Amino acid sequence: MLESNSDVPKSIEKLMEVYEKYEVKDRKENLTPDFHQFKTFRRDPITTFHKEYYYTKYKTKHYRISYLLLILSILLSALYFVGFSIEAYVFNLAGLSIELVVRILLFAIPIGLILLLLFLIAKDLNKWNWVSYAVWASIFVAALLTGVVLIRTFTGEQETSFNIIYTAAGIGWAPACLTFYITYKHHSYITDYGGIHLFLGWIYRISETHGDLKSLKESFEKLLIDFDSWLNHTLDLIIKKRTLILEGFSLNVISDKNFVDNISTKYRTEFESALSGLLVDDILKTDTFKEISLATKKISKLNRFNLKYLSYKLALDQLPKIVDIIKKLSSKDLKVLHYSGKQKFSKYKPKILSFMIFIVGTLIPLILPLFG
């Protein structure tokens, strides 16, 4: 889109046309405008314009982990078949040589079901829930299928420890890694500042149409989430008392009968300035990025360094505008603080503990037979 400058909405009216088309897309049911607006917003808050303009292959600074998990899935699958072949044909264990077809089915059926399920729900994955989908789906698959493998041991079947490990690897862990890879790889994603632009636009659009207040509140909440994430990653800042700011916004919606109208009238200039400032095509065409060829001046083609630098430049330029809008909408003083190493660790500590519990809970049942 950056090659075609005319495609980028240059005024708030042009941007609102994008949202208006999105709201009435494929509308067949006879519902009230409020309910339809809430339904479309909840189903997929990302407009076609934002998907195209803000998409980037650098989903996070840890995006390579998806490929590592794909490789791990392949290795675990290989261990499954190699382990079976060693026991069946090298050690010549009785009865295993006729299980090859069964083993292939046990491996193929979970993989096939996972691929089918992810294909069916892929359209519903978006930026704000893909991590939960990937992590919890992987843990569920690993725990469930590993449990199926261990049932044979607990029901009296004589299995070697080696058999339990390679079977769990192929039927439990390999599908789990594949689940994470597919979910990670194919989710919809927009940059944090793209999300800020998107939800500023939704707030303005819903106020202009006097639409569903649930969507308005959720737009503001996601605006705060993206803004906080953007500050974390670019300036090492964090929003202080984010919950109080959200409560202030909700209180204004309830107590001030003119509040929603004021967004599209009284605060129009502020919104238009912030929304236009977050369109990055003009910034990419400046001398700041003169080393990038014109053909590659799209967000989706920027390397990780230039994408980080673009986020940094935008954050510095747009920080005062966005802070001012949030203060006016919430009637609360917005403060940003240095995002310390301790705070960063506290943020990820629950995820680390969950991962450790999962690893211990999965591996211990497999290791215990070795000492039996």
Side-chain angles (χ1 to χ4, degrees):
M1 285 189 69
L2 292 176
E3 290 93 336
S4 179
N5 209 37
S6 61
D7 289 338
V8 179
K10 288 298 183 182
S11 68
I12 205 161
E13 287 84 1
K14 292 292 184 182
L15 183 64
M16 289 306 103
E17 289 177 8
V18 176
Y19 288 82
E20 185 177 6
K21 291 177 183 178
Y22 179 76
E23 287 173 352
V24 299
K25 180 182 178 183
D26 299 327
R27 182 176 178 181
K28 297 177 182 177
E29 66 272 35
N30 186 24
L31 298 172
T32 63
D34 276 8
F35 185 82
H36 181 73
Q37 192 172 55
F38 178 63
K39 182 181 177 183
T40 54
F41 174 82
R42 288 298 300 270
R43 183 177 67 243
D44 185 1
I46 306 174
T47 68
T48 303
F49 165 73
H50 285 92
K51 281 183 178 177
E52 186 175 355
Y53 191 72
Y54 291 108
Y55 180 78
T56 170
K57 62 183 178 180
Y58 296 108
K59 297 176 174 63
T60 71
K61 59 185 178 181
H62 304 299
Y63 69 98
R64 287 191 180 91
I65 192 173
S66 64
Y67 295 100
L68 294 176
L69 287 169
L70 175 62
I71 294 171
L72 183 58
S73 177
I74 294 171
L75 292 176
L76 291 171
S77 301
L79 174 63
Y80 175 68
F81 288 105
V82 170
F84 172 77
S85 299
I86 290 174
E87 284 205 327
Y89 302 108
V90 176
F91 296 150
N92 292 316
L93 294 186
L96 283 185
S97 58
I98 63 174
E99 280 194 21
L100 181 58
V101 175
V102 176
R103 290 278 177 170
I104 292 175
L105 290 175
L106 284 174
F107 175 78
I109 290 175
I111 295 289
L113 290 176
I114 288 167
L115 292 175
L116 176 62
L117 180 62
L118 290 175
F119 173 77
L120 292 175
I121 68 171
K123 63 181 182 299
D124 296 321
L125 304 181
N126 62 55
K127 178 189 174 189
W128 297 275
N129 60 20
W130 73 267
V131 173
S132 296
Y133 279 135
V135 173
W136 288 111
S138 300
I139 290 176
F140 175 77
V141 168
L144 176 65
L145 297 179
T146 301
V148 170
V149 173
L150 294 175
I151 286 175
R152 300 181 70 181
T153 301
F154 296 130
T155 54
E157 294 288 342
Q158 295 299 317
E159 302 288 350
T160 65
S161 298
F162 179 58
N163 181 289
I164 294 173
I165 290 173
Y166 77 68
T167 303
I171 297 180
W173 305 340
C177 291
L178 185 64
T179 300
F180 191 96
Y181 167 75
I182 295 174
T183 310
Y184 191 110
K185 184 68 176 174
H186 296 287
H187 75 277
S188 299
Y189 182 86
I190 53 178
T191 57
D192 290 317
Y193 46 88
I196 295 169
H197 185 283
L198 170 65
F199 290 117
L200 284 173
W202 267 115
I203 291 170
Y204 189 92
R205 173 63 184 167
I206 295 169
S207 68
E208 188 183 54
T209 59
H210 231 282
D212 184 79
L213 295 181
K214 291 181 181 178
S215 300
L216 184 68
K217 178 179 179 296
E218 194 165 328
S219 295
F220 187 75
E221 182 178 6
K222 290 181 176 178
L223 165 65
L224 289 180
I225 291 171
D226 274 9
F227 189 44
D228 192 49
S229 176
W230 192 25
L231 295 176
N232 294 172
H233 294 152
T234 55
L235 301 174
D236 280 335
L237 297 175
I238 190 170
I239 297 176
K240 183 181 180 181
K241 298 181 179 178
R242 197 171 70 189
T243 303
L244 289 179
I245 295 171
L246 180 61
E247 289 175 355
F249 176 83
S250 301
L251 184 62
N252 284 337
V253 173
I254 296 171
S255 61
D256 186 353
K257 64 179 181 179
N258 298 317
F259 177 74
V260 177
D261 290 325
N262 284 341
I263 294 175
S264 56
T265 55
K266 187 176 179 180
Y267 304 141
R268 175 188 172 89
T269 303
E270 286 88 343
F271 269 82
E272 189 157 32
S273 177
L275 285 165
S276 61
L278 288 167
L279 295 172
V280 302
D281 58 322
D282 292 333
I283 297 175
L284 285 174
K285 288 184 170 65
T286 63
D287 289 341
T288 304
F289 296 92
K290 60 184 178 181
E291 76 282 358
I292 305 175
S293 65
L294 186 62
T296 58
K297 286 195 173 185
K298 298 177 68 174
I299 294 180
S300 59
K301 294 186 177 180
L302 292 179
N303 61 36
R304 190 164 35 169
F305 174 80
N306 285 322
L307 186 64
K308 177 81 173 181
Y309 186 56
L310 175 63
S311 297
Y312 177 79
K313 286 281 293 181
L314 279 171
L316 288 177
D317 293 340
Q318 301 306 314
L319 180 60
K321 297 178 183 178
I322 299 169
V323 166
D324 188 50
I325 287 178
I326 292 174
K327 282 183 177 180
K328 288 180 178 178
L329 294 181
S330 67
S331 302
K332 295 287 183 180
D333 191 24
L334 189 152
K335 293 182 179 180
V336 291
L337 305 173
H338 176 65
Y339 193 33
S340 67
K342 182 179 179 180
Q343 287 172 316
K344 291 178 182 178
F345 176 76
S346 298
K347 180 180 179 180
Y348 293 105
K349 185 166 66 174
K351 297 180 181 179
I352 295 172
L353 290 175
S354 298
F355 179 74
M356 294 297 294
I357 292 171
F358 164 66
I359 291 295
V360 172
T362 304
L363 291 181
I364 286 181
L366 300 175
I367 296 174
L368 285 177
L370 296 174
F371 302 96

